[in-house]
Amino acid sequence: MLKQSPNDSKQYQAITLNNGLRVLLIHNDESTKSAAALAVNVGHFNDPSDRQGLAHFLEHMLFLGTKTYPDGSEYQKFINQHGGNHNAWTGTEHTCFFFDISATHFLSALERFSEFFIAPLLADDFVVKERENIDAEFTLKLKDDIRRLYDVHKDTINPKHPFSQFSVGNLDTLADRDGQNISQELQAFFQKYYRADYMTLALEGPQNLKELKHIAEQLFSLIPSADSPLPDIDEPLYLPEHQNIKIDVCPVKNDHQLIISFAMESIDQYYLDKPESILAYLLGHEGKGSILSSLKKQQWALALTAGSGINGSNFKDFNISIALTELGEKHLNEVVDIVLAYIALLNNTDIAEYLSLIHI
Ligand SMILES: [Zn+2]
């Protein structure tokens, strides 16, 4: 049973189709629009090591023509013509596709959308054109400080962990090579990973639950099931030589930032309690007695955030990011000392009961 707020007037039903696809149906009679999202538990971590960017490339290619709708621009036109939006993203371990549209056109849109996961064409002429678009996406970000920092991170961890792989792809990593045609590799990746039991689907709209269920069964039951579960990641993100180190990064912009990063195991199993939110609240606090207030008193920092950082099925970074002043940059060790002194204080104090009630 789903836990539901008394203020939430929607109706929910979770079902699993015969092929293993888990579906959440949401009846929302206050909306004139309908929406769908399909997530696959596959991302750039699944890229073959000699084909970095393949998962992302496939995400782009699925929009570009299917067996019944071979015209590569038809889906986008259809969604736009009927008041909708669509997009997709490829992450480390997930890829997600989603759209919304006027409710009267939901079924027709889903007829197009569901075929991405059943019969995509992955046609050669689109492969060539779309590879250029991927390369443009890569080039556009070359001067982006956040991306550059991300790449430094990838270069300073265990090279056997999939996080170290390049995720976006470009003309080089996705090139056709002797005996290795990229179209065939896209097809093979699709066959291996786009399986019903690796996916979840959500459908929401003013349609009633019975109708939504019927649509899900009718259009998504043809996605084939997998033979075996996805493998776990068994390599640690960091080896001892990647910890206890200081890394200096020269930014493109004039940005003075200190990031103190703590490596943790995965914390997904604690999602109901969210202990890291309490730590983020305490470390990120800006009032009297906080880390930031004492840094500001010395004119060493402008802002501080705590608790961000990458996370995945076997890792979580807990970051404390401090926007330094020029003066603060000259006092790096003292800034770190203040942060560590505060952590030592937390270690020696019971966390107050009322803090466990905070929801951030
Ligand atoms: Zn993209």
Side-chain angles (χ1 to χ4, degrees):
M1 264 302 279
L2 285 166
K3 234 186 202 176
Q4 206 172 333
S5 157
N7 300 323
D8 182 357
S9 60
K10 293 177 194 171
Q11 289 169 18
Y12 299 87
Q13 188 183 359
I15 58 167
T16 303
L17 303 186
N18 289 338
N19 56 0
L21 179 70
R22 287 158 292 158
V23 189
L24 182 65
L25 309 169
I26 307 152
H27 166 64
N28 178 357
D29 60 11
E30 286 173 10
S31 177
T32 54
K33 276 182 143 186
S34 294
L38 186 140
V40 196
N41 191 186
V42 56
H44 91 75
F45 281 7
N46 304 86
D47 286 346
S49 53
D50 64 342
R51 274 305 184 199
Q52 300 189 19
L54 193 65
H56 178 216
F57 192 21
L58 179 61
E59 173 236 299
H60 278 230
M61 284 302 301
L62 290 189
F63 287 99
L64 301 173
T66 61
K67 203 168 153 218
T68 321
Y69 303 95
D71 175 352
S73 58
E74 208 267 351
Y75 168 73
Q76 325 208 11
K77 269 192 223 147
F78 187 84
I79 299 275
N80 293 341
Q81 274 165 6
H82 301 292
N85 294 291
H86 70 90
N87 214 333
W89 51 258
T90 305
T92 51
E93 297 171 82
H94 295 93
T95 307
C96 189
F97 302 80
F98 48 93
F99 72 88
D100 66 2
I101 195 159
S102 87
T104 43
H105 294 89
F106 194 39
L107 181 62
S108 305
L110 280 172
E111 280 167 0
R112 290 156 173 82
F113 181 80
S114 59
E115 272 219 6
F116 296 169
F117 313 104
I118 297 166
L121 291 181
L122 308 175
D124 281 335
D125 44 343
F126 283 120
V127 165
V128 173
K129 190 179 137 275
E130 203 53 33
R131 188 162 48 194
E132 301 276 346
N133 288 340
I134 295 274
D135 194 71
E137 208 177 303
F138 161 71
T139 316
L140 187 73
K141 301 275 181 173
L142 284 174
K143 287 211 153 38
D144 178 332
D145 272 324
I146 293 172
R147 284 284 176 148
R148 291 163 71 96
L149 207 52
Y150 198 59
D151 278 334
V152 171
H153 197 171
K154 285 173 173 290
D155 258 352
T156 50
I157 61 152
N158 176 5
K160 288 196 180 134
H161 190 283
F163 184 74
S164 66
Q165 301 205 70
F166 169 51
S167 59
V168 180
N170 60 23
L171 286 180
D172 182 36
T173 67
L174 300 169
D176 289 316
R177 300 177 193 137
D178 278 350
Q180 266 184 297
N181 179 306
I182 192 74
S183 303
Q184 284 161 5
E185 290 181 50
L186 283 166
Q187 191 63 253
F189 191 92
F190 175 79
Q191 299 292 348
K192 183 170 177 187
Y193 291 116
Y194 276 68
R195 297 282 165 164
D197 24 8
Y198 302 158
M199 297 174 175
T200 52
L201 170 71
L203 301 178
E204 171 168 357
Q207 295 83 353
N208 64 40
L209 290 175
K210 204 174 148 209
E211 209 175 323
L212 291 170
K213 184 173 179 227
H214 181 70
I215 294 173
E217 286 169 345
Q218 189 195 344
L219 296 177
F220 291 88
S221 291
L222 283 176
I223 302 173
S225 313
D227 308 326
S228 54
L230 286 165
D232 289 333
I233 301 168
D234 45 20
E235 285 288 337
L237 185 67
Y238 301 103
L239 298 173
E241 64 261 38
H242 304 115
Q243 293 183 270
N244 254 321
I245 53 170
K246 176 171 169 254
I247 301 167
D248 294 306
V249 183
C250 182
V252 177
K253 289 186 187 147
N254 184 23
D255 186 19
H256 305 268
Q257 207 193 157
L258 170 69
I259 303 170
I260 305 172
S261 189
F262 296 88
M264 306 198 291
E265 314 249 303
S266 166
I267 56 166
D268 288 350
Q269 69 268 37
Y270 306 120
Y271 78 100
L272 283 176
D273 297 321
K274 301 184 179 58
E276 82 287 0
S277 298
I278 296 176
L279 287 178
Y281 174 80
L282 290 167
L283 293 161
H285 197 65
E286 303 190 353
K288 206 175 157 200
S290 65
I291 299 176
L292 183 63
S293 74
S294 85
L295 293 174
K296 276 189 167 172
K297 223 177 270 168
Q298 310 278 356
Q299 300 187 343
W300 289 345
L302 301 166
L304 180 148
T305 55
S308 55
I310 57 166
N311 70 301
S313 54
N314 76 338
F315 61 92
K316 160 74 187 164
D317 279 1
F318 186 99
N319 289 354
I320 301 172
S321 307
I322 303 172
L324 296 171
T325 59
E326 277 185 39
L327 185 64
E329 217 180 337
K330 295 195 180 93
H331 291 271
L332 266 192
N333 287 342
E334 288 117 303
V335 173
V336 174
D337 279 348
I338 289 177
V339 173
L340 296 182
Y342 189 85
I343 292 171
L345 183 76
L346 286 184
N347 263 330
N348 295 321
T349 321
D350 287 337
I351 305 272
E353 183 85 15
Y354 68 89
L355 287 169
S356 65
L357 302 173
I358 290 172
H359 291 282
I360 301 154

